[in-house]
Amino acid sequence: DQQVKQNSPSLSVQEGRISILNCDYTNSMFDYFLWYKKYPAEGPTFLISISSIKDKNEDGRFTVFLNKSAKHLSLHIVPSQPGDSAVYFCASNSGNTPLVFGKGTRLSVIA
Amino acid sequence: DAGITQSPRHKVTETGTPVTLRCHQTENHRYMYWYRQDPGHGLRLIHYSYGVKDTDKGEVSDGYSVSRSKTEDFLLTLESATSSQTSVYFCAISGQDYGYTFGSGTRLTVV
């Protein structure tokens, strides 16, 4: 049973516009949520996170929104840049349990 | 850079042969993890360690074993490699905060 779901395998966005990546989770015990970014032939790198006590966290062009009642989070990138083209993974856990990752969304930012 | 290295970076092996992948960290982190990345599956946890000689299974542990005899090294062994174990393997470490730092990955091909 998939606990973290990213239902869009891919997304294309024009440079300068907003990119919105979505993630749903099923485990109500999850209390920490993260987004990772992955370029080809590299390991994933941490992008931004949010704890369950918040509903929004912002870091520069990146904002993560958490809707606990809907068990949904989203990553907003504004404005999108060609260098943002990568695979984005949503991940979550509770306490010290290992992170559970979604299948990823490939973002293409078109110049 | 991040104090975590994986070796080898690439390996081709024959079905039925044993294979060991190494993860080495210089961060003195307690937790270490092995994930595999496959198209359509995202990142899936194989095994993890929460201290020297303390390990536990993840979601896809069948056919894999691990050992951690010292803090800095976490070894993943495929006792008898199969074609279904062709994948990219990532090691990760985590410290006091929630973020994981990933290695650059090992691309393993079983022929």
Side-chain angles (χ1 to χ4, degrees), chain A:
Chain A
D1 180 33
Q2 207 180 344
Q3 300 186 73
V4 177
K5 302 177 184 179
Q6 295 178 256
N7 293 320
S8 298
S10 63
L11 174 68
S12 287
V13 172
Q14 286 252 297
E15 181 180 5
R17 306 294 288 268
I18 185 172
S19 296
I20 300 176
L21 293 87
N22 294 303
C23 178
D24 297 296
Y25 63 95
T26 59
N27 190 335
S28 58
M29 298 299 292
F30 284 159
D31 57 10
Y32 206 72
F33 306 88
L34 306 90
W35 285 93
Y36 281 80
K37 176 179 181 179
K38 186 185 179 304
Y39 292 119
E42 296 182 9
T45 55
F46 170 73
L47 187 58
I48 192 169
S49 63
I50 188 168
S51 73
S52 59
I53 62 172
K54 295 185 176 182
D55 54 18
K56 176 182 175 182
N57 188 29
E58 193 171 351
D59 184 2
R61 296 186 297 114
F62 304 91
T63 303
V64 57
F65 296 92
L66 176 63
N67 182 334
K68 291 185 289 293
S69 60
K71 293 191 176 67
H72 177 84
L73 63 155
S74 60
L75 173 68
H76 292 212
I77 306 174
V78 182
S80 300
Q81 299 174 354
D84 296 329
S85 296
V87 176
Y88 290 79
F89 291 101
C90 171
S92 185
N93 68 351
S94 61
N96 281 331
T97 61
L99 284 176
V100 178
F101 286 82
K103 293 183 178 182
T105 296
R106 181 178 302 277
L107 173 66
S108 299
V109 180
I110 304 162

Side-chain angles (χ1 to χ4, degrees), chain B residues 11-93:
Chain B
K11 185 171 183 64
V12 180
T13 192
E14 292 187 351
T15 298
T17 60
V19 177
T20 295
L21 308 184
R22 180 179 184 238
C23 179
H24 179 77
Q25 62 147 330
T26 57
E27 305 295 319
N28 201 34
H29 284 337
R30 177 183 175 190
Y31 290 89
M32 299 185 75
Y33 311 85
W34 278 107
Y35 285 85
R36 59 179 287 177
Q37 184 195 6
D38 303 288
H41 291 280
L43 291 160
R44 293 181 293 173
L45 181 69
I46 306 171
H47 281 279
Y48 67 103
S49 170
Y50 45 96
V52 173
K53 300 192 189 304
D54 292 323
T55 64
D56 206 349
K57 295 179 179 180
E59 176 189 358
V60 290
S61 60
D62 287 348
Y64 302 94
S65 62
V66 289
S67 66
R68 192 166 178 202
S69 59
K70 45 186 178 177
T71 300
E72 55 266 38
D73 289 324
F74 192 31
L75 304 180
L76 177 70
T77 297
L78 291 66
E79 300 292 346
S80 177
T82 68
S83 58
S84 65
Q85 293 175 313
T86 292
S87 186
V88 181
Y89 292 85
F90 289 102
C91 176
I93 59 176

